[in-house]
Amino acid sequence: GLEGVELSGTVTTAPAAEWAFVRTVAYPTSPEFGPADTGSEGYPMCFQHSPQGALFAAATALAVPADSALVQPWIDYALSEGAYREALLSEVGGNTDSSGVRLQLVGFRMLSYDGDTARVDLAVRGSSEGTTITASTVYELIWEDGDWKINANVANPFDFATIPDTSGYIAWGA
């Protein structure tokens, strides 16, 4: 129900955002880009059909798994239909303990956007048990049923890798 549809484009500057938290992980919110609604179990949802909406959806996907009570209902909503849906549902549902782990969004890159799909690369800083890493998580998104979903037609729709620094990323975070 958010106004504005963009079927092409990119994001070259950090959008203005208010920051909300799922446990200790901040995620951006905007009345323009989303999330504009909350699922019955309490997870954020409903993003604008635009590059910025895809960015906000990916950043929210980073935060929601911090709450083990939200993971299963959220992933059931947020995962698109597709060849890998069942395998991904069982994989994500089986590992929901994030206690002792802290994540902070520090930047992003919009790798591609065509209105139907988006590839969003988020730079995050994570710490656990005194060790800090910088990592990249690339989210493969698809527009389905009026919202951005994690693309279950891709075997690995959220690819995670450590990176040496955040060079090349647009700084963004709480």
Side-chain angles (χ1 to χ4, degrees):
L2 293 175
E3 296 295 319
V5 173
E6 293 179 40
L7 300 180
S8 64
T10 191
V11 183
T12 57
T13 59
E18 297 285 325
W19 294 84
F21 287 84
V22 175
R23 295 195 177 244
T24 60
V25 182
Y27 67 95
T29 68
S30 162
E32 183 177 1
F33 306 123
D37 203 356
T38 304
S40 60
E41 294 85 356
Y43 55 84
M45 59 186 264
C46 189
F47 298 90
Q48 185 183 59
H49 193 175
S50 69
Q52 294 85 353
L55 174 61
F56 277 69
T60 301
L62 177 72
V64 172
D67 186 339
S68 60
L70 294 180
V71 172
Q72 206 58 54
W74 170 77
I75 197 67
D76 188 49
Y77 169 80
L79 197 58
S80 78
E81 294 301 320
Y84 299 98
R85 180 177 166 81
E86 293 307 315
L88 290 165
L89 281 172
S90 65
E91 180 182 314
V92 172
N95 184 13
T96 59
D97 183 18
S98 62
S99 58
V101 176
R102 300 292 180 261
L103 291 177
Q104 178 186 11
L105 177 63
V106 295
F108 72 90
R109 297 185 304 171
M110 182 65 64
L111 301 178
S112 66
Y113 179 85
D114 65 12
D116 294 324
T117 63
R119 292 184 72 230
V120 181
D121 186 356
L122 300 179
V124 298
R125 223 168 256 123
S127 63
S128 178
E129 300 177 6
T131 301
T132 300
I133 65 164
T134 303
S136 158
T137 303
V138 176
Y139 287 88
E140 303 278 350
L141 303 176
I142 189 168
W143 186 256
E144 181 181 274
D145 295 332
D147 206 356
W148 287 108
K149 306 282 181 118
I150 297 168
N151 191 347
N153 293 302
V154 177
N156 191 12
F158 27 81
D159 188 24
F160 178 88
T162 59
I163 55 176
D165 57 48
T166 58
S167 299
Y169 287 84
I170 297 165
W172 195 43

